[in-house]
Amino acid sequence: MRKFLLAALFSCILSSCTVNSVSNDNRGKQHIAEVSASQQKTRSKQMSLFEDGNYAMFIHFGLYSKLEGNWKGKPYWGIAEWIMSQANIPADEYMAEAADFKPSEFDAEAIVQLAKDAGMKYIVITAKHLEGFAMYDSDVDDFNIHDAGGFGRDIVGELADACHRAGLGIGLYYSQYEDWTAPGAANGPKTDRNGRPVTYDEYFRNKCVPQLKELLTRYGELELIWFDMPGDIKPEYSKELVDLVHELQPGCLASGRVGNGMGDYECLADMELPPRNNPGPWECIDATQVGWGYNSNDAEWKSPDFIVHNLTSLIARGGTLMLNVGPTATGAIPPEAAKTLRKAGEWVHRYPDVVYGAGPSPWGHALPWGDAVTQTGKIYLIVYDWPKDGKLWVPGIGSGINGVRLYGGKSLKWSKIDIDPEISSMTCIEIPFLQPDELASVIEIDVSDINVSSMITVDPSVSTELSVVFGEHEGCKTDWWGWMDKFGEWKYTDLLGEFTQDSWFDWTVDVPKAGYYDVELAYKGNEFVQWQVELDGKVLFINNQKATNAYDWHRLGWIEVTEPGRHCICIRTVGGDFASADVTAIRFTPVKL
């Protein structure tokens, strides 16, 4: 999946389109590099920081930062570090911009302090992005921050020193395949200045490997090398890079985007949050703006509650989050990003057990009101959508509950509710009517052992949204899509499509409370679609809905559940232009009567 997604992103940007879709029927988990027992031991410190820290800062800073998303008076939205490609800037003209790039306000100590305030455990900075401009004093190539413009400073070295002094890890981003200003690299010039054709192997031997050696030997102990955009790089090159990392720094990790499944951990697609727990070490990256490098045209900053929800949801799925900031042309961190990170960081410092060393949700998926993580003998419920009726419904906990309390606060009353003798019970926690924390509240459950039922439950207090991955289907096909609503902001969904007259899909769920539930379906299509809604094999109604060109929610109607227990809701295609429809999710909202 990752290869297809990154290839699509590359294709999209080179063609200067603003919306793109990608699909892949084979979303197999990327293979993580096999290492010997001795290598595992020597790498345990970095892997421990990666897996237990769970939160890191990404910094996209390069020559593109000087332009801030603008070229010759024209604004370019979205991914600022791709402006050379977006604006079709010739390599020589782009490289000339380095002459007066002097980001004198870059303050490594301030950035490290911001990361610590945010609760982050290591920092990764772009040592060389796709543009080919190095942010350190490279002896291999003068196209770097120290030499090209006479700035005389080594940005990477300053940040590495500051991280080491503060006890944070430091990692370095290096684009190993694409280099738009280096002859021979992917999407770089095909010939040198003398007109001689240059191969990728020459680029690899003369720039990529020598610069990687510089990075691995100059800046002390590194947390990781974050490779990117492998494209169709050959396996022998990926292996040589990983071997070089492990040879020069046995403890340093190589990111999964080195290509060909040879990294030490998996990198999900940009901004991807999987619906189910994902095994093995992996990370997701996201940005405080829409894009990565700073863009003065982009004012869509991520809010503190978004960061908290995204961070904890990723940890609940078993991963770690690396959240990006993009310094401005002067090297300063934008105040909006700094304020947001610090506000979210206050939450992280209030609830350290929810972040550091936390294990994934025992349910294996999000819950209707939020999510959950674990520590030894503890389940931490992270409540994003605080129920207004004073009751928090938790799917069956099979082990003994020794106590329930607000994190760091008072004990809460709870009771076991038997839904049906044949199925698991629910735990109903009596919670305050006012939400204790504006970003996300945390409830701690002390358990004898962690044993829960992963059965999907329809919550009687808040809306329950279910992806199609949690249901069954026949007469239609599954797919996975990624697209950009705006340039650089990726979104993803699992879907069902290619419906026929005999297609159906359903969800089997536990419903702890009888009553009416408003049912909505998320889908897109070309024209009207007629859906037949059934509950436990009984036809309830047929709804005729106009589809749109986006995955919008469409109300189907009310269903009545007369008895608590396990139920199956089924949707069938009965008419209209169902062949053009793609369905992504269903939502149940309790009706208060």
Side-chain angles (χ1 to χ4, degrees):
M1 176 189 72
R2 318 304 168 200
K3 178 178 178 181
F4 288 99
L5 179 62
L6 294 172
L9 174 60
F10 165 71
S11 173
C12 169
I13 295 177
L14 285 192
S15 62
S16 298
C17 64
T18 55
V19 177
N20 191 35
S21 297
V22 294
S23 67
N24 179 23
D25 291 327
N26 180 16
R27 298 190 64 206
K29 177 175 168 56
Q30 183 183 41
H31 171 69
I32 303 302
E34 297 291 337
V35 294
S36 67
S38 61
Q39 287 176 317
Q40 286 280 17
K41 183 177 180 180
T42 56
R43 285 211 291 277
S44 63
K45 179 180 179 182
Q46 279 85 342
M47 185 58 81
S48 176
L49 182 61
F50 178 89
E51 293 189 300
D52 295 338
N54 283 332
Y55 192 24
M57 175 182 284
F58 210 178
I59 301 176
H60 272 65
F61 194 36
L63 184 54
Y64 49 82
S65 303
K66 176 195 172 186
L67 304 178
E68 295 188 346
N70 302 281
W71 180 250
K72 294 186 176 180
K74 181 179 178 180
Y76 291 84
W77 286 271
I79 313 177
E81 66 275 16
W82 284 79
I83 193 169
M84 182 180 172
S85 175
Q86 282 184 278
N88 295 313
I89 306 171
D92 288 347
E93 193 172 351
Y94 186 81
M95 293 173 75
E97 290 293 319
D100 58 353
F101 181 41
K102 295 178 172 60
S104 57
E105 293 183 31
F106 182 86
D107 186 340
E109 298 290 346
I111 290 174
V112 166
Q113 187 59 54
L114 174 60
K116 295 186 73 172
D117 291 345
M120 296 161 164
K121 293 300 185 180
Y122 57 93
I123 299 175
V124 177
I125 188 170
T126 49
K128 190 212 74 169
H129 206 269
L130 310 179
E131 62 181 1
F133 185 71
M135 296 299 287
Y136 71 99
D137 183 11
S138 174
D139 295 332
V140 175
D141 189 340
D142 288 340
F143 188 46
N144 65 71
I145 185 80
H146 184 275
D147 298 325
F151 185 51
R153 289 172 56 183
D154 184 328
I155 295 297
V156 168
E158 292 176 14
L159 186 63
D161 289 344
C163 284
H164 291 316
R165 286 193 295 270
L168 293 185
I170 177 71
L172 304 177
Y173 172 115
Y174 191 86
S175 173
Q176 78 279 17
Y177 190 58
E178 301 230 1
D179 190 318
W180 300 335
T181 53
N187 295 300
K190 302 302 180 185
T191 61
D192 62 18
R193 293 187 179 277
N194 299 319
R196 182 183 66 86
V198 181
T199 66
Y200 175 76
D201 189 73
E202 289 180 79
Y203 161 77
F204 186 80
R205 302 296 168 199
N206 296 331
K207 183 175 181 179
C208 177
V209 170
Q211 282 195 333
L212 186 58
K213 287 180 179 178
E214 289 179 330
L215 297 174
L216 288 164
T217 56
R218 289 186 180 182
Y219 301 111
E221 183 178 271
L222 299 180
E223 169 65 16
L224 56 86
I225 297 292
W226 212 90
F227 297 105
D228 194 18
M229 295 291 287
D232 58 359
I233 191 171
K234 294 180 180 179
E236 55 264 33
Y237 293 121
S238 297
K239 183 178 186 304
E240 186 170 338
L241 292 173
V242 173
D243 288 346
L244 181 62
V245 171
H246 294 166
E247 174 192 347
L248 295 181
Q249 288 216 31
C252 185
L253 306 176
S255 80
R257 293 191 186 183
V258 71
N260 299 293
M262 294 184 185
D264 293 305
Y265 62 90
E266 181 184 10
C267 298
L268 295 196
D270 296 357
M271 305 172 183
E272 181 187 3
L273 174 61
R276 289 193 177 106
N277 288 13
N278 195 37
W282 60 272
E283 73 175 359
C284 176
I285 59 173
D286 206 337
T288 50
Q289 283 185 291
V290 169
W292 308 87
Y294 177 73
N295 192 328
S296 62
N297 308 298
D298 177 7
E300 295 188 48
W301 299 96
K302 304 289 172 58
S303 63
D305 61 327
F306 175 91
I307 292 174
V308 167
H309 294 186
N310 201 36
L311 170 63
T312 51
S313 293
L314 282 164
I315 296 172
R317 301 287 75 74
T320 186
L321 172 65
M322 189 157 65
L323 184 61
N324 182 79
V325 295
T328 66
T330 67
I333 299 297
E336 297 89 346
K339 291 177 182 178
T340 297
L341 289 177
R342 286 197 170 95
K343 180 69 173 179
E346 293 173 2
W347 188 95
V348 172
H349 290 299
R350 281 199 298 275
Y351 306 103
D353 294 313
V354 177
V355 176
Y356 307 126
S361 169
W363 285 276
H365 52 76
L367 297 170
W369 35 258
D371 227 314
V373 297
T374 58
Q375 297 276 5
T376 302
K378 306 284 186 182
I379 300 176
Y380 294 99
L381 310 179
I382 310 145
V383 186
Y384 311 144
D385 187 5
W386 193 256
K388 295 180 175 60
D389 61 1
K391 298 182 185 299
L392 187 76
W393 293 83
V394 184
I397 300 177
S399 55
I401 297 177
N402 301 319
V404 180
R405 67 185 181 106
L406 291 173
Y407 187 96
K410 67 176 183 179
S411 296
L412 300 174
K413 294 181 180 179
W414 58 274
S415 57
K416 284 286 187 74
I417 308 295
D418 290 323
I419 305 173
D420 186 297
E422 304 272 327
I423 61 179
S424 61
S425 63
M426 295 282 289
T427 299
C428 183
I429 303 173
E430 297 182 26
I431 59 174
F433 285 97
L434 296 179
Q435 183 171 351
D437 197 304
E438 62 177 341
L439 297 184
S441 299
V442 178
I443 294 174
E444 177 184 317
I445 302 180
D446 185 1
V447 292
S448 301
D449 61 89
I450 298 175
N451 176 25
V452 307
S453 169
S454 60
M455 187 66 193
I456 299 294
T457 301
V458 173
D459 196 284
S461 297
V462 300
S463 295
T464 302
E465 184 176 319
L466 301 177
S467 164
V468 294
V469 303
F470 298 111
E472 303 292 333
H473 65 276
E474 189 171 292
C476 48
K477 293 185 178 180
T478 59
D479 205 348
W480 181 85
W481 284 82
W483 73 96
M484 288 188 282
D485 281 343
K486 55 180 67 70
F487 195 60
E489 185 179 44
W490 282 96
K491 295 184 179 180
Y492 310 93
T493 189
D494 292 273
L495 60 87
L496 295 175
E498 300 186 31
F499 293 104
T500 68
Q501 187 69 53
D502 300 319
S503 300
W504 59 263
F505 48 97
D506 65 24
W507 290 264
T508 299
V509 294
D510 287 349
V511 184
K513 195 172 182 180
Y516 288 96
Y517 293 84
D518 193 32
V519 180
E520 300 167 273
L521 200 63
Y523 63 90
K524 73 174 184 177
N526 296 331
E527 268 300 334
F528 282 89
V529 182
Q530 295 172 6
W531 306 104
Q532 178 171 291
V533 179
E534 304 172 5
L535 180 65
D536 298 329
K538 178 182 178 182
V539 177
L540 299 183
F541 55 82
I542 295 176
N543 186 289
N544 188 44
Q545 286 277 8
K546 177 72 166 63
T548 64
N549 63 357
Y551 293 111
D552 294 327
W553 286 102
H554 302 268
R555 287 191 64 204
L556 297 185
W558 288 10
I559 62 171
E560 183 182 11
V561 178
T562 57
E563 295 288 340
R566 185 158 294 172
H567 298 277
C568 179
I569 183 166
C570 180
I571 312 293
R572 295 183 186 273
T573 52
V574 294
D577 188 15
F578 47 73
S580 71
D582 291 334
V583 176
T584 64
I586 195 169
R587 184 160 64 195
F588 304 91
T589 301
V591 180
K592 307 298 182 181
L593 295 176

